[in-house]
Each structure stands twice: as structure tokens, then as C-alpha cells.
């Protein structure tokens, strides 16, 4: 039965996440925007609440948790198919609850959401492809994700970091940049290739302990936005990793070898889309309030072209917001129900990414000096927004994924 | 019938959908069995048709009939409080039937119907036979609906407009009149008018005429006025782009009455009412006309519903147009997806170029976003909840993105899109209209 409202069973969890956003994140939002690289200690104080939220299954933070509801149930694609089926065979599971709670925490602050301990994108990768034994071993640790290299961004199949087997260890060498929470996390999931001549299928994920002496922190980036979140650059110099810390299948398969690593994106793209939706909501709420005080209120039932420009624009932005919001819920719902969702995840990410940038920038513009000045958070959200149309696959990469699926074209045909 | 918790009997199914729909949908081969068919037919007639015998009168004169007590309305749907994008089995069956009608009947007839501005009798007959106009009418009133059916309506409109928007409008505009009577009419109005619209063989034709010619038209403030004169209303004004105006049996127009926008039933034969031709850029198969009202007198009893009901009709019409825009946009997507893989330039299919492929990806993304907003709004309506924001959002998306989809649908074919060799130029014209029309369709 078609119904696109927040499921009743998730309402308390969404409310809790909203409380976190309003009571914890918002008051310190500007502080850590200005104090880049400073660790937000308030989050430690709130860790009990956050863990409570996570263990209830409501929040997957920035990544899918390796456990939900206290059981060792991965929150990955297909997790929902193992969840208890409701009467009609419809599942509302951890993917949906994750995007719903992230929308709330990111309405509070995206950078702080990314800084929530033990909620890293690396955790999502572990959830997606680790063996049960590995999941048990890493379950409670905070894991960052290291894919990008100085010369390799969107073409993650072309990474140069190498992994060479040496007895019961692999030896990793290379350079990784743009590692979110790289300084603070306990584990870093590193993508490296077993054999560069074999292309994508030789790429494997390795779990590297942050205190591994071969993993050297080079610097933290200074950024346009999400400054509360640390973004690290590492070098890996003869970094020895135990063989059991290779995630998933150690063999190089002709078919589907890269799929395991890429499958992570089916999980994480709806999460990033949810971040964008949350940020867009924050911008729209504040701009609506400020414009209301200035005497302009949008009237949804009246034709847009009979209303003041600012009101008409708000209506348009709300419309695109809602499309992004629902595309995101759909992608998560499909994952919960064990349906392949690569295309829908990319649709959600593409729409939410570009929409949140447009909304945040327009809200700054509509509010004039107040929007642009640091007295309000609108300008900060406009800076934070841009990364959401970039990381976990740029707008252009999402369009490629969507187009290839729609047109049934290979990456050789549609480059 | 509670199809959620118990397996419905064949008779249940027959009653809930209308047997014509079921047989047409091909969902039940068993219905071809004459004995079984007769049994279901009996159930259908006993349950649904009592009290509202079809009346077929020359010139379709509606003789006033007294209603008994409270009017019959659709029952709100019972929510399960779960996020779900799966239609019910009944909805899926009706949707499949609508798709079949769209593919086999509407699409093949579309180009000619557009050129001739005519709904072919055969198309009208087939649509009536499948009960497409009865989807919003409860079984007690001679229709096929078990409960509020906005979701069913948007699914059906989507499919029909995927076949052709102009024909979908021509076929479904009379259903809007029936729905208005169900949703807003008192029992007397239902008794007097509804029977003709639910007639199986020759259902009455009508139009919900809200739109007016002036730029910046706001349905909440129509220039059409109705003055009270004793027990009568005197109407003055003009309604634009009214489908099938020349052949209508009943108009429901909006007019300002005592300072509020209201719905008023006006028979076409009333003195002072004239119809002129009003062709437009698109929706040409719907043969749009303008309805001129000059000192038109109708009984005050012809007021239909309240001011809130008028606002409800405006909102439900906008949602219906958004659903139609989803369907036609899907037709564009289907066509450009296959065309760009076949059409070659510079030695390879043009789909291999990002400029082309990304345009198609954008069509799909905006289309799916709109579809979900439309579904959400419809599901809210069926639960009796406010869907004002979602309907406004759907309309905004239609205004901007569907016009763009229509444009891209021509652009991707280049000159071939501009000539009538393909359907794309018609979709371009129709999609521009979906975001500005008011009234006419109703979920």
C-alpha cells in the first residue's frame, strides 16, 4: 500500500535525532566552523546519547553501523531482507532509519555529524563487505575511508596504492587524501591494488589500524566548509597489515572483483543524499523564518507567479527539496527490501547534491546581507553544501551511473 | 472486503473492481467461464446498481430527484504506517488495465486525434467499457471504488497520459464531474446527476471548468461571478480550455458567490450560456472550448459543496495534472532512451555522448522525483490528511521540470523531433499545458 510518510515506528527515533541536532549541534555549529581542526569535545559528552540513538537503530551516523539493535546485523544492502518481514512483505529497516536520522542530525550540522565517533564511512564499507568474523572484530571501532589519491578522484578504479603479500601480511605503499575523520578514527579502510595491470578487479579494501607505524598522517586540509570534520592526508610507507584485515575475498576474480568495493556506494550514497536533504531543510527553515519576519510568506495554494519573487522562489526550492527527500527515502527503502538500488541511489545523490547547493546558495541570496554575514548560519550552510555534491561520487559520476543503467551502456560505451 | 487480511473471494474482487476491468486486465482467465461470469455479474448488479438505474434520456435532461438522507462519500483508506511504494493488488490490476488501454488504444489513435481535435468514438467506447470514469465513484453509487482512490486515480492517469495526454483528458474529464458529485454533492444532487455519469453504455459527458482567460488567473479569485436573486443564481463570466465543451451534458463551473469561490452546476442548455471553440497549443484531442456565461440563471440548489470543497477540487485537479505530466514525461523518457541508442552521429550512437546521456539521466531523475511527490500527495488525500504542500510541490515541479522534459524530448531528436514524424513535438505541446491547467481532471 503506497505510503510515503515516516513510518510510525521510527517517529521517536527521528525526534531524538532532531533533539540532538537542535540541542547539541546547533549551539556549537559556528564555534567549530571557526575553530577548524579542533576536536568537538562536546560530542564526547554526548556519546552516551549518541550511542543510545545508534543502538536503537535510529542513527547510523555518517555511515551504516556494523551493528544495529544490538545484534551483529550489518546495515548493508540486503540487510533488510534478513529483517523480520511485515505482514505485507514490506520492510522498513536500518537503511531507512539511517537516512531519516541523518537528515535530522545534518539539519543540525553536517560537519559535526561526520565527526560522530564510530559512525564513519569506513564503518559502512565494513558493513557492506566484511566477513562475519571481521565484523565482530571491528564492530565497535570508528573507521574512516581512504580511497582518493592525489591523481585519482572519481576514477577510483585507477588507484596506485599497492598491496604486496609478504607471508601472512600485506605491505601497503602509496598516498591517500581526503580521508574524512582520518585523524580521529581508530581504523582506516584503505583501498589498494594487488596488481595494477589487472585494473579494477585487483582492488581490495584493507583495514589499517590508525596507530600502524606505516600509516603516517601528513596534514589536515583547510576547507570551504564542513570544518568541524577533519580531513586527513596520509602516506603509507611499507605499511604492514595482517592478512586477515583484507576485507572480503582475497582472490582476484575476473567477474565482480571490484563490485564488492563498489557495493559500498549503494549503501553510502543514500546517506550522503540524506545529509544534503538535512542541510537543505536547515537553510529553508531559517530563510523562511527570516523572510517571514521581513513580511514575505509563501502561499502554497496560490499560483507562484502571483506571489512576490522571494515567496515564489521558496515554493520552488521546497518542491525540489521534497523530490530530493523522497528519492532518498526510496533508495534506502529499496536497500531495506533487498532490491538492487544502484541507479536509485545515484538518482538520490544527484538530485539531493545539486538541490542542496541551489537551496543553500539561494537562501543566502534571498536574505541579503543577513544571509551572507556570519551572524546567521546560512552562509556556513552554503559553504558546507558544496561537498555534498562532490564526495561519495560527484554530480557527474552520479549522472554517469544513472545514464549507463538507463541506457544499458557499458563504461567503455558511455565514458 | 478486507483484502489486506483475508483472501478475497472472486465475487469480492468482481465487486471492487468492476467485472469489465478484471476481464480486460486479463488477471483472471477464469472470468471467461460463462457460469462464473454470470455469478459475478449477479453480485455486481445486486450490490452496486440498486437505486441508481441508468437513465438515458434524449438530450440528457436531468430531472430532479429527491435524495435520501446523507450523501454517500468514499471512505478514507486505512493506513499501515509503513513507508511503502508498492501498490495494492487491486491498484496494480487497474493500473495494468489502464496501461493496456493506453498502449493498444490511446497511443495508436493519438496523432490523428491531435490533428483532428477529436476523441474517436471507438476510444471513448473502450475507455467507458473498462470503467475508467468510475474509479472514484463508490460501488453504492454505481462506481467501482471501495474506498478513497486518489492513489488509484494518479496511477491510472499516469498510465493513460503515457499513452496520450490529450486523449487521457478527453476520456477522463467526465470522471472529474462524477468525482465532484461523489465528493461534494448532497444526496439529491447525487441522485439527480450521478446515474447518468455511471451509465455503462453511454455515460454522460461533462467538464469541471475552472480556468479563465486572464493572465495571473488565481482559481481562488475567479472573475466569474454569481449574484443571488431569490432562489436563483445569475452567473456572468468566461471559462477557458474546457474539454469537450461543445458536446457536454453538464458543466461544473467555479464562480465567486458572496465573496467566496464556489462550484456551480450549469446545464449547457441554459439561456445565456454559449460555447465557442478554444483550440490551444496542446491537449488538442480534448477539443477544448470556451464557455461564456451571460446572465445565466440556475437554481441556488445547483451550488455544489462548500468554499472548502472548491479549494479541494482545485488541489485535486492540480494533482491529477501532475499525474498526467508524470505519464507523458515517462513517454518521453521511453522514447529518447531507445532513439538515442539507435541514432548514430560521428560513427557511434549519440547515447554514447555525455551531453546526450546526461540529459536523459536528468529527465529520469526529475521524473522519478515528481512521481514520488505525486504518490505521496495522493496517499495523504486517501487518508483524509492535508496534502496542500505536496500538491503545491508537484505543481511547481511540473511547471519547471516537465516543460524542460518536453523540450529535451524534442531537442534530443533534433529536426526529427520538430516534425510530426515522431510524437515528441506533441509531448512538448502537451507538457507545457500540464503545469498551467486548472480543473478538468480530478483525483
Amino acid at each position: 500500500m503506497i505510503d510515503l510518510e515516516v513510518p510510525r515506528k521510527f517517529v521517536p527515533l527521528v525526534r531524538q535525532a532532531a533533539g540532538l541536532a537542535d540541542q547539541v549541534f546547533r549551539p556549537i555549529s559556528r564555534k567549530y566552523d571557526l575553530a577548524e581542526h579542533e576536536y568537538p569535545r562536546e560530542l564526547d559528552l554526548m556519546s552516551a546519547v549518541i550511542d543510545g540513538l545508534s543502538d536503537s537503530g535510529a542513527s547510523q551516523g555518517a555511515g551504516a553501523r556494523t551493528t544495529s539493535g544490538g545484534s551483529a546485523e550489518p546495515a548493508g544492502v540486503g540487510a533488510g531482507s534478513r529483517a523480520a518481514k511485515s505482514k505485507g512483505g514490506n520492510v522498513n529497516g536500518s537503511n531507512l532509519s539511517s537516512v531519516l536520522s541523518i537528515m535530522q542530525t545534518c539539519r543540525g550540522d553536517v560537519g559535526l555529524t561526520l565527526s560522530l565517533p564510530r559512525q564513519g564511512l569506513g564503518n559502512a564499507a565494513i558493513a557492506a563487505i566484511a566477513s562475519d568474523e571481521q565484523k565482530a572484530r571491528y564492530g565497535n571501532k570508528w573507521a574512516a575511508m581512504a580511497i582518493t589519491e592525489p591523481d585519482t578522484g572519481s576514477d577510483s578504479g585507477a588507484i596506485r596504492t599497492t598491496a604486496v603479500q609478504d607471508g601472512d601480511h600485506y605491505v601497503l605503499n602509496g598516498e591517500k587524501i581526503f580521508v574524512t575523520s582520518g585523524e580521529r578514527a581508530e581504523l582506516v579502510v584503505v583501498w589498494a591494488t594487488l596488481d595494477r595491470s589487472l585494473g579494477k578487479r585487483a582492488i581490495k579494501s584493507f583495514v589499517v589500524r590508525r596507530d600502524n607505524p606505516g600509516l603516517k598522517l601528513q596534514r589536515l586540509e583547510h576547507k570551504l566548509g564542513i570544518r568541524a570534520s577533519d580531513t586527513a592526508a596520509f602516506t603509507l610507507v611499507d605499511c604492514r597489515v595482517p592478512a586477515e584485515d583484507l576485507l572480503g575475498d582475497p582472490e582476484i576474480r575476473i567477474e565482480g572483483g571490484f563490485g564488492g568495493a563498489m557495493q559500498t556506494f549503494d549503501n553510502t550514497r543514500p546517506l550522503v543524499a540524506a545529509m544534503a536533504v538535512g542541510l537543505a531543510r536547515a537553510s529553508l527553515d531559517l530563510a523562511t523564518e527570516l523572510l517571514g519576519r521581513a513580511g514575505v510568506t509563501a502561499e502554497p495554494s496560490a499560483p507562484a507567479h502571483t506571489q512576490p519573487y522571494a515567496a515564489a522562489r521558496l515554493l520552488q526550492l521546497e518542491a525540489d527539496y521534497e523530490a530530493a527527500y523522497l528519492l532518498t527515502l526510496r533508495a534506502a527503502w529499496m536497500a531495506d527490501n533487498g532490491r538492487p538500488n544502484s541507479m536509485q541511489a545515484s538518482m538520490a545523490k544527484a538530485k539531493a547534491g545539486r538541490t542542496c547547493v541551489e537551496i543553500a546558495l539561494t537562501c543566502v541570496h534571498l536574505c541579503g546581507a543577513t544571509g551572507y554575514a556570519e551572524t546567521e548560519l546560512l552562509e556556513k550552510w552554503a559553504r558546507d553544501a558544496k561537498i555534498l555534491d562532490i564526495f561519495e561520487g560527484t554530480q557527474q559520476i552520479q549522472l554517469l551511473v544513472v545514464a549507463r543503467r538507463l541506457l544499458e551502456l557499458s563504461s567503455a560505451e558511455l565514458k | 472486503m478486507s483484502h489486506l487480511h483475508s483472501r478475497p473471494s472472486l465475487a469480492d474482487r468482481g465487486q471492487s473492481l468492476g467485472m469489465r476491468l478484471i476481464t480486460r486486465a486479463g488477471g483472471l482467465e477464469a472470468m471467461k467461464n460463462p457460469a462464473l461470469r454470470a455469478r459475478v455479474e449477479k453480485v455486481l448488479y445486486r450490490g452496486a446498481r440498486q437505486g441508481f438505474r441508468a437513465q438515458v434520456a434524449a438530450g440528457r435532461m436531468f430531472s430532479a430527484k429527491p435524495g435520501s438522507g446523507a450523501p454517500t462519500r468514499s471512505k478514507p483508506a486505512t493506513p499501515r504506517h509503513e513507508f511503502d511504494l508498492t501498490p495494492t493488488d487491486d491498484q496494480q490490476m487497474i493500473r495494468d488495465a489502464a496501461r493496456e488501454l493506453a498502449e493498444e488504444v490511446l497511443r495508436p489513435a493519438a496523432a490523428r486525434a491531435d490533428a483532428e481535435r477529436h476523441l474517436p468514438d471507438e476510444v471513448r467506447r473502450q475507455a467507458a467499457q473498462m470503467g475508467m470514469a468510475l474509479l472514484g465513484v463508490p460501488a453504492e453509487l454505481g462506481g467501482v471504488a471501495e474506498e478513497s482512490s486518489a492513489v488509484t486515480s494518479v496511477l491510472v492517469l499516469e498510465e493513460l497520459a503515457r499513452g496520450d495526454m490529450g486523449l487521457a483528458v478527453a476520456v477522463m474529464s467526465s470522471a472529474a464531474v462524477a468525482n465532484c458529485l461523489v465528493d461534494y454533492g448532497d444526496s439529491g444532487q447525487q441522485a439527480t446527476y450521478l446515474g447518468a455519469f455511471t451509465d455503462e453504455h453511454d455515460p454522460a459527458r461533462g467538464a469541471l471548468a475552472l480556468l479563465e482567460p486572464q493572465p495571473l488567473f488565481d482559481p481562488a479569485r475567479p472573475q466569474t461571478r454569481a449574484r443571488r436573486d431569490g432562489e436563483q443564481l445569475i452567473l456572468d463570466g468566461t471559462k477557458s480550455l474546457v474539454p469537450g465543451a461543445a458536446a457536454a451534458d453538464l458543466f461544473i463551473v467555479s464562480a465567486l458567490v458572496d465573496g467566496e469561490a464556489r462550484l456551480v452546476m450549469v446545464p449547457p442548455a441554459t439561456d445565456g450560456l454559449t460555447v465557442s471553440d478554444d483550440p490551444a497549443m496542446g491537449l488538442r484531442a480534448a477539443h477544448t472550448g470556451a464557455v461564456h456565461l451571460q446572465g445565466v440563471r440556475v437554481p441556488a440548489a445547483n451550488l455544489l459543496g462548500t468554499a472548502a470543497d472548491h479549494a479541494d477540487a482545485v488541489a485535486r485537479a492540480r494533482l491529477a495534472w501532475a499525474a498526467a505530466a508524470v505519464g507523458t514525461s515517462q513517454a518521453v523518457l521511453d522514447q529518447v532512451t531507445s532513439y538515442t541508442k539507435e541514432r548514430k552521429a560521428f560513427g557511434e550512437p549519440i547515447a554514447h555522448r555525455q551531453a546526450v546521456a546526461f540529459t536523459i539521466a536528468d529527465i529520469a531523475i526529475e521524473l522519478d522525483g515528481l512521481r514520488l511527490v505525486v504518490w505521496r500527495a495522493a496517499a495523504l488525500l486517501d487518508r483524509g490528511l492535508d496534502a496542500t504542500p505536496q500538491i503545491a510541490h508537484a505543481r511547481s515541479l511540473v511547471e519547471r521540470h516537465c516543460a524542460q522534459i518536453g523540450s529535451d524530448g524534442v531537442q534530443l531528436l533534433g529536426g526529427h523531433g520538430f516534425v510530426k514524424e515522431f510524437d515528441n513535438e506533441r509531448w512538448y505541446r502537451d507538457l507545457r499545458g500540464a503545469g498551467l491547467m486548472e480543473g478538468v481532471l480530478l483525483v
Side-chain angles (χ1 to χ4, degrees):
Chain A
M1 179 179 195
I2 290 176
D3 186 344
L4 290 84
E5 303 310 303
V6 173
R8 182 183 271 167
K9 66 174 175 178
F10 292 151
V11 168
L13 311 172
V14 170
R15 220 172 269 152
Q16 223 173 341
L20 185 67
D22 293 326
Q23 308 303 321
V24 182
F25 287 0
R26 278 291 175 85
I28 58 171
S29 222
R30 181 62 78 184
K31 176 180 169 187
Y32 290 102
D33 179 55
L34 296 173
E36 192 168 22
H37 300 163
E38 201 174 298
Y39 179 68
R41 305 207 170 280
E42 290 86 345
L43 297 186
D44 284 345
L45 293 174
M46 290 307 296
S47 63
V49 174
I50 294 161
D51 282 348
L53 197 61
S54 306
D55 289 341
S56 69
S59 166
Q60 310 295 329
R65 287 257 302 185
T66 51
T67 61
S68 64
S71 67
E73 191 74 8
V77 169
S81 62
R82 286 190 292 274
K85 295 245 177 188
S86 69
K87 236 183 252 170
N90 180 48
V91 178
N92 287 171
S94 57
N95 287 284
L96 188 60
S97 65
S98 297
V99 297
L100 286 168
S101 68
I102 286 176
M103 284 171 187
Q104 288 301 322
T105 57
C106 288
R107 188 178 55 73
D109 194 288
V110 173
L112 291 170
T113 298
L114 289 167
S115 302
L116 283 174
R118 297 179 294 284
Q119 312 284 326
L121 292 170
N123 294 101
I126 290 169
I129 51 175
S131 68
D132 290 344
E133 181 271 325
Q134 289 169 324
K135 279 171 194 159
R137 208 143 39 85
Y138 309 132
N140 282 323
K141 293 204 167 63
W142 185 359
M145 191 81 197
I147 301 174
T148 307
E149 300 177 358
D151 294 320
T152 309
S154 294
D155 56 338
S156 41
I159 57 170
R160 296 175 182 201
T161 297
T162 53
V164 178
Q165 189 153 19
D166 178 22
D168 55 359
H169 279 70
Y170 287 93
V171 181
L172 275 56
N173 279 286
E175 204 177 334
K176 290 290 176 185
I177 61 170
F178 301 164
V179 183
T180 298
S181 301
E183 188 196 19
R184 299 166 190 169
E186 298 159 277
L187 305 172
V188 181
V189 177
V190 176
W191 280 19
T193 175
L194 296 175
D195 184 344
R196 280 193 61 191
S197 67
L198 293 178
K200 291 196 282 192
R201 61 182 184 269
I203 293 172
K204 299 292 171 185
S205 302
F206 298 86
V207 178
V208 183
R209 290 169 58 101
R210 183 62 186 78
D211 57 8
N212 188 314
L215 179 71
K216 295 191 170 66
L217 178 70
Q218 291 301 314
R219 65 177 185 279
L220 296 176
E221 306 290 354
H222 294 269
K223 306 190 295 292
L224 173 65
I226 57 163
R227 290 178 182 162
S229 165
D230 67 300
T231 305
F234 291 104
T235 50
L236 296 124
V237 182
D238 295 331
C239 180
R240 295 181 67 82
V241 178
E244 65 261 29
D245 287 337
L246 184 157
L247 286 180
D249 181 3
E251 298 303 318
I252 300 172
R253 307 274 177 200
I254 303 304
E255 291 300 324
F258 197 51
M262 291 301 281
Q263 196 188 315
T264 309
F265 288 133
D266 297 345
N267 273 13
T268 54
R269 282 174 178 161
L271 299 177
V272 176
M275 294 177 195
V277 168
L279 183 144
R281 190 67 258 154
S283 291
L284 274 170
D285 285 347
L286 182 54
T288 300
E289 187 193 328
L290 293 172
L291 289 168
R293 275 190 243 156
V296 169
T297 307
E299 171 48 61
S301 300
H305 49 265
T306 62
Q307 304 188 46
Y309 175 80
R313 281 296 279 150
L314 280 180
L315 280 176
Q316 290 178 349
L317 298 178
E318 287 282 1
D320 284 308
Y321 164 85
E322 175 137 19
Y325 165 77
L326 294 176
L327 286 168
T328 303
L329 296 191
R330 177 179 71 167
W333 173 81
M334 290 178 75
D336 275 341
N337 285 277
R339 300 192 195 181
N341 73 337
S342 279
M343 181 172 81
Q344 289 79 6
S346 285
M347 284 178 151
K349 172 74 169 69
K351 178 67 179 172
R354 68 196 189 200
T355 299
C356 91
V357 172
E358 198 208 345
I359 286 176
L361 283 173
T362 306
C363 287
V364 166
H365 175 68
L366 291 177
C367 295
T370 298
Y372 200 58
E374 287 189 2
T375 43
E376 296 290 351
L377 289 167
L378 286 171
E379 66 82 28
K380 175 190 177 298
W381 293 331
R383 288 184 288 110
D384 290 350
K386 199 66 196 128
I387 192 60
L388 300 172
D389 206 20
I390 296 171
F391 69 14
E392 296 300 295
T394 60
Q395 176 73 215
Q396 291 70 25
I397 290 296
Q398 309 306 335
L399 294 182
L400 262 185
V401 172
V402 173
R404 282 178 188 153
R405 296 258 167 184
L406 271 175
L407 294 160
E408 297 170 317
L409 294 175
S410 67
S411 53
E413 290 164 324
L414 176 56
K415 296 193 190 73
Chain B
M1 181 188 90
S2 170
H3 57 264
L4 294 179
H5 303 298
S6 62
R7 200 173 164 72
S9 68
L10 195 58
D12 280 344
R13 279 214 174 282
Q15 181 151 8
S16 83
L17 294 178
M19 195 190 55
R20 289 153 295 167
L21 269 180
I22 296 176
T23 45
R24 184 71 191 187
L28 294 172
E29 275 299 301
M31 292 298 285
K32 288 180 180 161
N33 175 338
L36 197 55
R37 189 187 176 101
R39 195 155 62 85
V40 174
E41 227 161 14
K42 212 169 135 193
V43 172
L44 263 174
Y45 270 80
R46 194 182 59 222
R49 303 277 176 202
Q50 266 173 11
F52 289 99
R53 304 303 308 168
Q55 49 165 7
V56 185
R60 195 84 64 176
M61 298 304 290
F62 298 98
S63 51
K65 290 181 186 171
S68 51
T72 304
R73 303 267 190 257
S74 303
K75 299 174 216 26
T78 313
R80 295 165 70 184
H81 303 290
E82 280 180 6
F83 187 96
D84 191 1
L85 298 175
T86 317
T88 63
D89 290 347
D90 285 0
Q91 286 166 346
Q92 188 57 45
M93 239 198 247
I94 296 173
R95 185 194 208 183
D96 290 344
R99 176 169 299 186
E100 194 181 314
L101 180 71
E103 285 176 0
E104 292 180 10
V105 180
L106 301 192
R107 180 66 70 82
R112 189 162 167 200
D114 178 75
E116 296 177 356
R117 296 186 60 221
H118 178 66
L119 168 64
D121 290 341
E122 177 59 16
V123 175
R124 181 168 187 269
R125 196 186 58 75
Q126 295 229 32
Q129 207 175 46
M130 287 173 69
M132 283 298 151
L134 305 178
L135 295 173
V137 181
E140 300 95 299
L141 295 179
V144 298
E146 279 293 311
E147 53 187 21
S148 294
S149 55
V151 169
T152 309
S153 294
V154 299
L155 294 173
V156 165
L157 282 168
E158 188 179 321
E159 294 301 338
L160 296 182
R162 187 178 182 172
D164 184 63
M165 194 189 285
L167 284 172
V169 170
V171 163
M172 296 301 283
S173 66
S174 298
V177 172
N179 285 354
C180 278
L181 289 163
V182 169
D183 292 341
Y184 317 128
D186 60 34
S187 59
Q189 290 167 334
Q190 290 183 344
T192 302
Y193 296 100
L194 206 46
F197 285 91
T198 56
D199 178 56
E200 251 173 285
H201 306 291
D202 184 24
R205 309 175 198 205
L208 173 62
L210 306 185
L211 193 59
E212 297 179 352
Q214 66 275 12
L216 303 183
F217 169 71
D218 179 351
R221 281 181 276 278
Q223 285 185 8
T224 300
R225 307 283 158 126
R227 285 175 288 130
R228 285 185 190 273
D229 182 26
E231 286 302 295
Q232 289 195 316
L233 295 172
I234 307 171
L235 291 111
D236 288 283
T238 301
K239 295 294 171 184
S240 295
L241 303 178
V242 181
D249 298 304
L250 184 68
F251 294 115
I252 297 177
V253 304
S254 65
L256 214 56
V257 185
D258 305 329
E260 289 180 322
R262 301 283 295 273
L263 299 173
V264 185
M265 291 182 288
V266 183
T270 317
D271 282 347
L273 187 151
T274 50
V275 171
S276 63
D277 201 13
D278 194 12
M281 174 180 174
L283 309 171
R284 295 179 70 85
H287 196 245
T288 50
V291 176
H292 308 275
L293 305 159
Q294 284 180 307
V296 170
R297 286 179 172 268
V298 295
N302 280 22
L303 273 172
L304 184 66
T306 62
D309 290 335
H310 170 270
D312 185 66
V314 169
R316 286 174 182 270
R318 287 173 174 172
L319 183 57
W321 280 103
V326 168
T328 305
S329 297
Q330 183 68 53
V332 172
L333 179 61
D334 296 341
Q335 199 274 344
V336 297
T337 300
S338 60
Y339 178 88
T340 58
K341 286 183 71 177
E342 284 161 19
R343 175 73 183 182
K344 289 194 172 127
F346 307 103
E348 60 180 345
I350 60 173
H352 291 195
R353 309 280 169 169
Q354 286 193 355
V356 169
F358 283 13
T359 302
I360 295 172
D362 279 331
I363 290 172
I365 290 167
E366 300 302 353
L367 167 58
D368 273 9
L370 171 64
R371 178 182 281 124
L372 292 171
V373 177
V374 167
W375 286 10
R376 183 182 184 193
L380 284 168
L381 289 179
D382 280 347
R383 284 165 60 174
L385 300 174
D386 179 37
T388 306
Q390 283 67 41
I391 290 171
H393 299 162
R395 189 160 178 89
S396 175
L397 296 171
V398 171
E399 274 168 16
R400 293 174 291 130
H401 299 307
C402 291
Q404 185 63 45
I405 289 169
S407 176
D408 289 339
V410 172
Q411 190 73 30
L412 287 166
L413 272 65
H416 294 282
F418 197 73
V419 299
K420 299 209 175 203
E421 171 189 2
F422 291 98
D423 297 315
N424 303 46
E425 64 82 29
R426 189 176 72 253
W427 295 329
Y428 174 90
R429 292 184 281 115
D430 290 344
L431 281 169
R432 178 68 281 178
L436 65 85
M437 289 297 290
E438 304 275 10
V440 177
L441 300 174
L442 209 69
V443 301

